[in-house]
Amino acid sequence: MTEAEVFPAPVVLWSHPEDQRDGKPLLVLLHGYGANEQDLLSLADLLPGDFAVASVRAPIAMGPGFTWFPLTASIDYSLERVKAASAYVLEWIDAIRVGHPSVTLLGFSMGMAMATTLLRQRPTDFAAVVGLSGFVVDADGDPTFRDDELDGTVPMFWGRDQQDPVITPDKIDFTMAWVRKHVKLTKVLYTGMWHGINQQEIGHVGEFLTHEVLKK
């Protein structure tokens, strides 16, 4: 039995009740390490109301919160565990996406690693990706990461603070090289945000989503 098969049923919080979601573009929120599905849902009130927003809980309990996979610096980390987490989210998206004209991903910190992993495994499935204070995983040539099919046309917003104390320089260097090659990048640097999200950034994300998803 694989790790993905023993994960719990997905726990998801929505911005709209079920009878008000159909036909709306879907925006999937993926939280960071040690957080939960409540962590990012408040962003729904600050982003365009045209979206049905779904905040998904990571499947692995970690302290008071949850994680998608072990920290990349830990001995428990492996690309297989990243792939198990992505399979878990993709299965859930596949089950509900029929009612939505498009799916966009927004991930914070480790959630950005998840969002970009989903894109890399399903290059044609997503309208856009938003990454906040996060990184892209090094897939080391794994064939399930279909990077060669990402030709720079999928819009991606990447916001971060250069003084972020959490995301290490090696991860930033890898991420920078990857995004420049594979996505249509909007990159914005902020000051005084550290490893977080601020009001200015959410304003920029709203503008990005309006221009790149809602007006397409």
Side-chain angles (χ1 to χ4, degrees):
M1 183 174 290
T2 67
E3 186 168 16
E5 290 171 331
V6 300
F7 284 158
V11 176
V12 183
L13 291 180
W14 289 86
S15 61
H16 293 73
E18 188 171 0
D19 62 356
Q20 297 177 23
R21 299 173 200 159
D22 199 48
K24 293 181 179 292
L26 178 63
L27 176 62
V28 179
L29 308 183
L30 304 165
H31 64 75
Y33 178 84
N36 61 39
E37 70 282 5
Q38 298 176 2
D39 188 54
L40 297 178
L41 189 63
S42 62
L43 298 182
D45 293 335
L46 306 174
L47 294 173
D50 307 74
F51 288 95
V53 181
S55 186
V56 184
R57 177 192 292 179
I60 303 171
M62 180 60 60
F66 298 86
T67 188
W68 299 102
F69 50 84
L71 291 174
T72 54
S74 76
I75 59 172
D76 293 329
Y77 171 79
S78 72
L79 191 60
E80 292 305 310
R81 301 192 76 171
V82 177
K83 290 161 64 175
S86 68
Y88 176 78
V89 179
L90 286 171
E91 182 177 1
W92 173 78
I93 291 175
D94 287 345
I96 57 93
R97 69 179 303 150
V98 66
H100 305 280
S102 67
V103 182
T104 297
L105 306 170
L106 184 155
F108 171 74
S109 193
M110 184 184 281
M112 175 177 164
M114 280 299 301
T116 50
T117 294
L118 299 179
L119 173 66
R120 296 164 77 184
Q121 294 190 317
R122 298 275 191 86
T124 63
D125 278 19
F126 304 105
V129 174
V130 175
L132 308 178
S133 299
F135 62 100
V136 174
V137 297
D138 185 348
D140 196 27
D142 187 296
T144 67
F145 287 72
R146 295 153 55 187
D147 290 355
D148 288 348
E149 297 176 42
L150 288 165
D151 57 2
T153 57
V154 177
M156 178 173 169
F157 180 97
W158 182 25
R160 57 179 293 263
D161 186 337
Q162 287 182 301
Q163 302 303 313
D164 186 331
V166 173
I167 308 302
T168 54
D170 61 308
K171 287 186 175 61
I172 295 299
D173 290 346
F174 180 86
T175 301
M176 183 65 71
W178 187 90
V179 295
R180 284 177 169 167
K181 185 175 181 181
H182 295 293
V183 294
K184 177 186 173 186
L185 180 65
T186 299
K187 180 175 178 288
V188 186
L189 296 175
Y190 302 90
T191 58
M193 187 172 72
W194 305 96
H195 189 66
I197 302 170
N198 66 20
Q199 192 80 26
Q200 182 186 30
E201 182 177 40
I202 292 306
H204 291 155
V205 170
E207 293 169 0
F208 170 84
L209 292 173
T210 297
H211 180 72
E212 296 291 357
V213 181
L214 299 179
K215 292 187 176 180
K216 290 297 177 70

